[in-house]
Amino acid sequence: MILIDGKSLTLQDIERVLDHSEQVALCKEAEKGILDARELVERKLAEGKIVYGLNTGFGKLSETTISSDHVRELQINLIRSHACAVGEPFSEPISRLMLLLRANALAKGYSGIRMELIQLLVDCLNRGVCPIIPGKGSLGASGDLAPLAHLALVLIGEGEAIYQGRRYPGIVALQKAGLKPIQLEAKEGLALINGTQAMAASGIIAYMEGKRLADMADGIASLTLEGLRGVVDAFLPLTHEVRGFKEQQEVAERIFTYLENSQLTTRQGELRIQDAYSLRCIPQVHGAIQQVLSYVRDKLSIEINAATDNPLIFPETDQVISGGNFHGQPLAFAMDFLGIAVSELANISERRIERLVNPQLNDLPPFLSANPGLESGMMITQYVAASLVSENKVLSHPSSVDSIPSSANQEDHVSMGAAAARHALSILDNARKVLAIEWICAAQAIDFRGADKLAPSTKKLYDYLRNRIPFAASDRSLSFEIEEMAGEMKGINAPFIWSHE
């Protein structure tokens, strides 16, 4: 059981929730803070105090006072009006993660909502009610307003949700799960949508998939090194120790270990003095990508336990403070950085693909064809990889350097963090396909060299692929096979065969 209190949720906890191995519950110790904050909200309302989000309009309309008779209506109208996101819905893991992250943020005790609202979020998560949330429409400041409003619609019995694999109106999905919609009270609608949970949820999935892909890339690159009879001296520890980057040293060590007892790799001067950069500099490039992943992990680990709505309720000082914790700039930078790093993972992979297929750069059959000339072999796989990495170069333009005013210029600077996270996921999808192409091409090269000469560790990777994709003895469409192997690398629960231990 994962207990949420707004302070201690970890990425490891999130993985366990996403793979359905753990249920979630509200931590008892968090209840006092939640109740105290709610009591302060109700007291402010009883005293007739004008407080943003409780009895005022929103954004540019914050100077408009709302009578006590319309406080509930205000929250319902907020959710309905803001639920105008568009585009393909977020994946089910992202939507489920949004439920978890919003519940955890509210459990922190600074939002002024009732316990019942947090419990309904937790119940939806545990019982499999997954809101359908369109993926586009957030500016990444004032929170992920439009996407989170679609999540909130389901809680009030509106919108749509997936339950047991089928799409239902929100009220039906709740009923089938044995749940009832909630009637929002003062502050609760705003507390549900003022937050960074859409970009954070997308970012966590992107980080997890990016970390897995970066680790896999070391193994695939090792197989390529054998296919090209690479020089292993470049991976000896001395070179990397004098540079000083821990991640570079770790990548070099992993690759050197992958290649242990290989009969295909060479030593300096045997065939050539040194390899091209895409081979020789793998530790420097892949290591730098691991540094970016560490940075992203650090920012996400903070954000998943952050209070990101507005206003925030501080019962200990009797204050309700309007601030800007919903601004997604920290995540926007992190997601842009992640997208750039994964783009580079694909860029260097595409260069290795070129070295595998180009007869001017190796001693293998041209384009790895069993019958070159009559057949084109792997020629066009490099075209596809080149297309994908070129698309990534556009997608990796930083979203965080953009901003556009909204709400009549009251909200005059925004982060575009949700777009950054979405772009990172698209870049990952392309990068997986590029690495899949390299894996296929490397295996084809190995077949010309002799798979019996592989290192024991890389032989596992070769066998894994060959159990799914046969040697290309003649030309055939490889589209499905590229997609299949990219699919093998996707997701936190994908088979993991990349250990060289």
Side-chain angles (χ1 to χ4, degrees):
M1 180 72 71
I2 303 296
L3 299 178
I4 57 171
D5 58 8
K7 298 181 291 186
S8 57
L9 187 65
T10 67
L11 292 172
Q12 288 81 8
D13 293 335
I14 287 170
E15 286 192 67
R16 288 156 58 199
V17 173
L18 288 177
D19 69 12
H20 299 274
S21 65
E22 292 281 356
Q23 295 271 289
V24 175
L26 181 62
C27 180
K28 284 288 184 185
E29 286 73 18
E31 293 182 3
K32 183 179 186 304
I34 297 166
L35 293 171
D36 288 348
R38 184 63 197 176
E39 189 276 331
L40 179 56
V41 166
E42 292 177 351
R43 180 153 48 85
K44 294 290 184 184
L45 287 170
E47 293 170 354
K49 298 288 178 64
I50 304 301
V51 180
Y52 174 71
L54 275 64
N55 49 18
T56 71
F58 307 102
K60 185 63 176 177
L61 301 174
S62 60
E63 301 301 322
T64 303
T65 303
I66 308 299
S67 72
S68 58
D69 295 339
H70 294 97
V71 166
R72 286 181 176 174
E73 186 181 356
L74 173 70
Q75 302 301 312
I76 294 291
N77 290 342
L78 175 70
I79 299 304
R80 289 172 176 164
S81 67
H82 284 49
C84 56
V86 296
E88 288 296 312
F90 286 112
S91 67
E92 187 169 333
I94 291 175
S95 293
R96 294 184 67 239
L97 188 45
M98 287 170 68
L99 287 169
L100 173 61
L101 295 180
R102 199 71 209 116
N104 189 58
L106 297 176
K108 199 170 182 71
Y110 296 103
S111 299
I113 48 81
R114 292 169 298 153
M115 204 89 69
E116 300 97 290
L117 183 56
I118 303 176
Q119 190 59 53
L120 182 55
L121 286 163
V122 170
D123 288 341
C124 284
L125 181 63
N126 288 338
R127 301 192 193 186
V129 176
C130 183
I132 294 173
I133 304 170
K136 296 183 180 180
S138 172
L139 294 176
S142 284
D144 294 312
L145 293 172
L148 286 171
H150 284 271
L151 181 154
L153 276 179
V154 174
L155 303 182
I156 63 174
E158 300 181 16
E160 292 184 295
I162 300 293
Y163 179 70
Q164 294 185 346
R166 294 187 60 185
R167 186 170 184 153
Y168 295 103
I171 184 64
V172 176
L174 289 175
Q175 290 169 346
K176 286 183 174 292
L179 300 172
K180 295 180 180 179
I182 195 167
Q183 184 175 49
L184 298 177
E185 299 287 349
K187 177 66 167 64
E188 291 183 330
L190 186 59
L192 283 170
I193 69 173
N194 245 180
T196 60
Q197 282 67 45
M199 68 181 92
S202 302
I204 288 167
I205 299 296
Y207 163 76
M208 289 176 174
E209 293 184 359
K211 174 61 177 168
R212 175 174 290 277
L213 191 62
D215 291 343
M216 292 173 176
D218 292 344
I220 292 171
S222 299
L223 198 62
T224 295
L225 280 160
E226 289 182 286
L228 293 172
R229 307 214 63 198
V231 179
V232 294
D233 298 68
F235 306 98
L236 290 167
L238 283 175
T239 295
H240 307 285
E241 288 169 2
V242 297
R243 183 80 183 272
F245 289 119
K246 174 176 66 72
E247 296 86 357
Q248 176 182 326
Q249 295 172 51
E250 290 169 347
V251 170
E253 182 183 3
R254 278 199 295 273
I255 290 177
F256 199 77
T257 307
Y258 266 121
L259 297 174
E260 190 173 0
N261 295 321
S262 171
Q263 299 174 51
L264 292 173
T265 56
T266 61
R267 299 306 298 261
Q268 195 167 290
E270 287 182 0
L271 288 180
R272 65 189 77 89
I273 299 298
Q274 58 187 19
D275 285 320
Y277 290 178
S278 60
L279 302 178
R280 188 178 3 140
C281 298
I282 293 167
Q284 289 80 2
V285 177
H286 286 199
I289 291 164
Q290 293 287 354
Q291 291 172 17
V292 174
L293 288 163
S294 295
Y295 173 87
V296 172
R297 180 187 179 91
D298 178 62
K299 300 303 169 278
L300 289 170
S301 296
I302 293 170
E303 191 74 357
I304 62 178
N305 290 298
T308 56
D309 52 301
N310 177 59
L312 292 172
I313 314 300
F314 297 93
E316 61 272 22
T317 59
D318 197 43
Q319 288 178 288
V320 179
I321 301 177
S322 287
N325 279 3
F326 48 68
H327 201 294
Q329 203 71 53
L331 291 189
F333 285 150
M335 290 300 101
D336 281 340
F337 206 5
L338 178 61
I340 290 167
V342 176
S343 288
E344 192 60 12
L345 193 69
N347 283 345
I348 195 170
S349 174
E350 184 276 330
R351 289 294 79 199
R352 293 193 296 264
I353 293 166
E354 172 68 4
R355 301 202 77 82
L356 284 163
V357 303
N358 188 338
Q360 296 179 344
L361 301 176
N362 62 50
D363 60 346
L364 292 159
F367 305 105
L368 302 175
S369 172
N371 192 4
L374 177 63
E375 298 177 346
S376 296
M378 300 287 169
M379 180 191 294
I380 306 303
T381 64
Q382 184 270 329
Y383 290 39
V384 176
S387 171
L388 293 168
V389 299
S390 291
E391 180 178 314
N392 278 352
K393 291 167 189 175
V394 176
L395 288 169
S396 60
H397 175 81
S399 299
S400 57
V401 301
D402 187 27
S403 180
I404 192 165
S406 57
S407 194
N409 226 31
Q410 172 76 359
E411 299 166 6
D412 57 353
H413 182 274
V414 296
S415 74
M416 298 299 179
R422 190 172 67 251
H423 291 164
L425 286 167
S426 296
I427 291 166
L428 271 159
D429 190 54
N430 288 338
R432 269 190 297 270
K433 293 179 175 65
V434 174
L435 267 296
I437 290 170
E438 183 184 356
W439 196 0
I440 291 168
C441 289
Q444 185 81 357
I446 294 301
D447 284 317
F448 290 113
R449 302 284 190 200
D452 57 321
K453 299 174 184 176
L454 285 168
S457 293
T458 50
K459 183 67 160 53
K460 294 178 186 176
L461 306 185
Y462 170 86
D463 288 342
Y464 191 86
L465 182 135
R466 279 286 171 255
N467 286 336
R468 290 154 179 78
I469 296 177
F471 171 73
S474 59
D475 281 351
R476 64 173 187 264
S477 172
L478 293 171
S479 178
F480 175 79
E481 295 172 359
I482 293 167
E483 293 280 5
E484 181 181 2
M485 296 317 297
E488 293 287 336
M489 292 187 277
K490 183 178 182 181
I492 61 171
N493 297 314
F496 197 77
I497 53 151
W498 308 91
S499 172
H500 48 64
E501 295 174 359

